[in-house]
Amino acid sequence: MNNVLRERLSTLYAAMKLGQLDFVLNAIDDDIEFISYAPIKVFPFLGHRRGKAAMSEALHGALAAFEFLSCEPIFMVVELESAAVMLFARGRRSVQGMLAHFVRFRNGKIVELREFMDSFRAAEQALGRELIEGP
């Protein structure tokens, strides 16, 4: 089961990179809870979302904002119906960095996704300037 879940996650990240959002959304439960610990003033499509329609908005927003060139899992720990994934994402609009995803499955669908990123660095890249100037 662990290898099946690991392969499924890798396939989902590859689909995200290719912009195949219908494929990704098919793997998501109708009542998914998504939380991205990111500044919503900079990334308004992230934050806390509940339900497949809200998740669809978040995914479409991320794809439009970043135009993913890379969305590659680097490290993955899978146990029963849960996974922790470290991934490297890079977008066409010069935002790149590491993300951590904590994913919970039920009946083969994603029911919870929590996302952590170096939001300070990501915000600087997205805004095109340093947030704190040096001395």
Side-chain angles (χ1 to χ4, degrees), residues 104-115:
R104 195 166 51 88
F105 286 81
R106 183 173 50 239
N107 299 323
K109 299 273 187 174
I110 299 172
V111 293
E112 182 179 8
L113 172 58
R114 295 185 183 261
E115 176 181 80

Side-chain angles (χ1 to χ4, degrees), residues 111-129:
V111 293
E112 182 179 8
L113 172 58
R114 295 185 183 261
E115 176 181 80
F116 294 86
M117 69 172 80
D118 180 356
S119 56
F120 187 79
R121 182 75 177 121
E124 286 185 328
Q125 291 177 56
L127 295 171
R129 62 180 173 84

Side-chain angles (χ1 to χ4, degrees), residues 8 11 13 18 29 38 48 60 64 67 70 93 98-99 104-105 109 120 130 133:
R8 180 168 180 146
T11 301
Y13 287 117
L18 297 172
D29 187 79
H48 183 214
H60 280 90
E67 295 182 46
S70 176
R93 297 197 173 99
M98 301 294 290
L99 300 167
R104 195 166 51 88
F105 286 81
K109 299 273 187 174
F120 187 79
E130 291 184 12
E133 295 182 20

